[in-house]
Amino acid sequence: MQTTITSLPFELILSIAEVSYCEDRSAMSLVCKSWLDPARQALFGEVDFWDPATSIERIAQWRESPCRERYPSRSISLATSLMPDEASLRLALESCSGLRELSLMAHKMHASWAVLLCPQLSTLRSLSLVACGAIGFEDPGQKDQTTEPRTLPFQLEKLSLGLDEGITPLLISSLFHSSRNTLSSLTLDLNSDTALPAFVISLPLVANRIKHLHLPGRLRKEISPDLSFLSTLKSLETLTLSSVTPTIGAVAPHLPPTLRQISIVTLESSITNMVRALLKALPKISVGTLERIEFPQTRQKKFDVAKHAALINAFRDRKILLGFSDGWIIPVGAGK
């Protein structure tokens, strides 16, 4: 039987649509009748209003579309400045039943994190909160001004926080308190250490459950945050860094012995600096269960094995695998 553009499986069209841009998804929905459902499912399933330049008209079209009931949104990224007021933001979230992922950026206007108390967010499993300096998420108004954590309607598996002054201590404690039995993946932007003390105070609520930690920012010397809290993450298995120097040197002394993998996401042009920083930091890393260090955005052919023999030998001594985007260097003795 001949395969035509109209006979492609639903799952295949959906997979194509999910990796396409929003404009392409709209175009796909007009190709033919069999493409309409998968294209719209992808179009409304993942809503991206992260760019503050997004037109208000586009948001209004999304909010008023009758298709939203048939194609519920699973993931939403939203800058608060795109909403006329906080009430509109709350109404937008209340209309999203079954939401799994939410990203909010406080941009140009403060927003109370009371919007996170919507019962409709009970299905939420992944949350990202970004504050732009002092512009952030204010505590909900309370008559008694209690500092006790609020119970949020969801239990997160993944949480991403920018530790800035726009992230309040009460918000941090409420997030950790509500997800203390489920949170396993944590992303922390440490470009500012303003909220770090409050974070450290609340961390014991989830410290024993965190398995995956991502530090996306580059630690600046003028910040020099106290990273000793890393040693309290007794279940940590993977660590992802978006900059190797000076970050790796700062975190190395505090890594728990449960760590199995370190991933370093950086440009190929930085390979020399990466190697130097790793060699300097490696003796500070507890051997424990560390099995591999990988560079997922660096090709192996850009790594001169002869030039970096010292690093290879250091990995061989510790039986650590060295990974790249196109393969692995397996030191002699690794895995024995």
Side-chain angles (χ1 to χ4, degrees), residues 246-268:
T247 309
I248 187 65
V251 303
H254 307 294
L255 296 177
T258 54
L259 196 66
R260 292 182 176 274
Q261 177 174 307
I262 298 177
S263 296
I264 300 171
V265 183
T266 191
L267 300 175
E268 290 182 343

Side-chain angles (χ1 to χ4, degrees), residues 90 93 102 104 112-129 137-140 142 148-159 161 167-183 205-206:
R90 186 181 184 91
L93 295 180
L102 175 63
L104 289 177
S112 168
W113 57 265
V115 296
L116 298 178
L117 295 170
C118 299
Q120 290 82 356
L121 295 180
S122 61
T123 56
L124 201 63
R125 295 296 176 265
S126 177
L127 176 64
S128 175
L129 296 177
F137 301 92
E138 299 175 333
D139 292 334
Q142 301 177 86
E148 292 297 315
R150 301 284 293 273
T151 300
L152 300 170
F154 46 78
Q155 294 182 327
L156 299 174
E157 297 171 2
K158 298 180 180 180
L159 175 62
L161 286 176
I167 303 294
T168 69
L170 183 58
L171 172 56
I172 295 173
S173 63
S174 297
L175 288 169
F176 284 173
H177 173 74
S178 300
S179 302
R180 61 191 181 279
N181 296 321
T182 55
L183 190 64
L205 288 169
V206 296

Side-chain angles (χ1 to χ4, degrees), residues 228-291:
S228 58
F229 71 87
L230 293 172
S231 62
T232 68
L233 305 179
K234 301 300 184 182
S235 298
L236 191 65
E237 295 181 3
T238 66
L239 172 66
T240 301
L241 305 174
S242 295
S243 176
V244 67
T245 178
T247 309
I248 187 65
V251 303
H254 307 294
L255 296 177
T258 54
L259 196 66
R260 292 182 176 274
Q261 177 174 307
I262 298 177
S263 296
I264 300 171
V265 183
T266 191
L267 300 175
E268 290 182 343
S269 57
S270 304
I271 187 67
T272 300
N273 289 335
M274 287 194 301
V275 171
R276 290 173 180 170
L278 268 175
L279 276 174
K280 187 176 181 180
L282 201 56
K284 303 176 184 177
I285 300 176
S286 174
V287 176
T289 56
L290 187 62
E291 299 173 351

Side-chain angles (χ1 to χ4, degrees), residues 28-45:
M28 288 178 63
S29 69
L30 302 175
V31 171
C32 59
K33 188 175 181 179
S34 63
W35 282 40
L36 180 61
D37 271 356
R40 282 188 172 177
Q41 184 171 320
L43 182 63
F44 286 91

